[in-house]
Amino acid sequence: ITVLEIPMENITKYHYKNNFMKQTKEEFESNVMAFKEKMSNYYKENEKGKAFVCDGIIDVGSYFDETYKILWILKEAYSGSGDKGYLHDLKLYRSEGEKKDSPNTWNPIAYISYSVINNFNDLAGENIKNNKEVNRVFKKIAIINVQKTEAGTRSKSSEIQRAYKCHLEIIKEQIETYNPSIIINCSGIKDFAADLDFTNSIGFGHFSKKNKIIINTYHPQQVRIKQAVYINKVIQRIKEWYYHSI
């Protein structure tokens, strides 16, 4: 896997410029925890009889410390119901390489996130699945699902669309609370950019707003193109945007 060659001094310069969080770590952690409780209560009230799957920031302190704050938007969680299960598995097991199911979903997320956070470092030729350094990037990112109740093994577009329309405001509040600089939208919902007021089109179906970008792309488990091509394209789009935003 190779990525677009851009002078690293430019990337490094922007890396330091883009840390725009306007609150202390303690304030941020408090806001995230308050929203987590609000979201849990909301879904238990509005999706009665369904198991709520709590998603979001996997390790709040580690996420806050990163200059590149990355949020992935997926469709739905297939397992890990409850207020702690999904995030608990990502933090304690996935991030340590101990949980290796669904590699076609989690490996691209790990590789892309690791590359962006580490000044677009290229790990070409390395075994992503068994690389603990790469896996630990899960503690530094946020992952949310449009459908926040436990699902089966196949995503139904109609259910994802329904969840988005019914719960748009709480999803928007979740994203605003996390204040990511990079949103990678793999949910299949094309309205995210407009609903989040990302109006500056930068081509390829991607949009920017001030110091933020939203990438609309396939779900990581897609089979339309080779996994290496998928990974490279997402990294390249983010890298190009950073370079031209300096």
Side-chain angles (χ1 to χ4, degrees):
I1 300 169
T2 56
V3 294
L4 183 68
E5 291 300 323
I6 293 175
M8 290 312 302
E9 62 270 17
N10 289 340
I11 298 298
T12 302
K13 175 183 176 183
Y14 192 67
H15 178 91
Y16 290 107
K17 186 180 82 170
N18 194 39
N19 194 351
F20 51 85
M21 296 292 274
K22 296 180 179 178
Q23 52 190 317
T24 66
K25 180 184 286 190
E26 291 72 21
E27 290 171 336
F28 182 70
E29 290 177 337
S30 177
N31 290 337
V32 169
M33 293 305 295
F35 175 78
K36 183 178 180 179
E37 182 177 359
K38 176 180 179 178
M39 180 172 66
S40 176
N41 292 334
Y42 170 88
Y43 278 95
K44 288 175 181 178
E45 177 65 27
N46 290 278
E47 292 283 5
K48 292 181 178 179
K50 297 181 180 180
F52 168 64
V53 180
C54 187
D55 54 23
I57 299 174
I58 292 143
D59 185 292
V60 180
S62 297
Y63 175 88
F64 182 89
D65 289 339
E66 290 301 322
T67 301
Y68 299 142
K69 292 176 174 58
I70 301 173
L71 168 71
W72 288 81
I73 305 177
L74 304 181
K75 296 178 180 181
E76 58 189 354
Y78 299 141
S79 62
S81 63
D83 285 3
K84 297 180 180 179
Y86 187 73
L87 295 177
H88 179 82
D89 283 352
L90 285 169
K91 183 175 181 178
L92 295 185
Y93 301 112
R94 185 78 59 185
S95 66
E96 295 300 324
E98 295 179 14
K99 195 167 186 178
K100 300 177 181 179
D101 60 308
S102 303
N104 290 334
T105 294
W106 301 112
N107 287 351
I109 290 175
Y111 188 104
I112 292 167
S113 301
Y114 180 89
S115 178
V116 172
I117 284 174
N118 290 279
N119 286 334
F120 303 97
N121 181 35
D122 186 5
L123 292 173
E126 294 197 27
N127 189 332
I128 302 172
K129 181 172 64 175
N130 296 319
N131 190 315
K132 287 191 175 183
E133 183 182 359
V134 175
N135 285 323
R136 289 189 183 114
V137 79
F138 283 109
K139 293 182 179 180
K140 301 177 181 181
I141 64 176
I143 299 174
I144 69 172
N145 296 288
V146 173
Q147 172 70 282
K148 298 185 190 295
T149 54
E150 195 169 19
T153 55
R154 286 179 176 267
S155 298
K156 295 181 179 180
S157 296
S158 59
E159 281 296 307
I160 306 301
Q161 290 286 347
R162 183 203 68 82
Y164 183 75
K165 291 178 180 178
C166 290
H167 309 305
L168 174 59
E169 293 308 313
I170 195 76
I171 294 172
K172 284 173 62 177
E173 185 177 350
Q174 183 178 25
I175 295 171
E176 290 165 1
T177 300
Y178 299 166
N179 195 19
S181 47
I182 300 167
I183 300 173
I184 304 174
N185 175 29
C186 313
S187 67
I189 303 292
K190 297 181 180 180
D191 295 332
F192 261 115
D195 289 334
L196 294 173
D197 298 322
F198 280 73
T199 57
N200 180 32
S201 174
I202 55 177
F204 304 101
H206 312 321
F207 297 84
S208 65
K209 178 176 69 173
K210 296 182 180 180
N211 290 332
K212 300 183 179 183
I213 184 174
I214 183 167
I215 299 287
N216 292 308
T217 188
Y218 301 128
H219 190 278
Q221 205 172 22
Q222 59 78 40
V223 294
R224 296 171 183 242
I225 56 177
K226 291 182 178 179
Q227 187 179 91
V229 175
Y230 173 86
I231 290 170
N232 185 60
K233 282 184 176 293
V234 175
I235 294 174
Q236 180 172 318
R237 297 306 172 213
I238 297 171
K239 194 171 184 180
E240 288 174 335
W241 174 74
Y242 271 123
Y243 177 63
H244 293 298
S245 296
I246 296 172

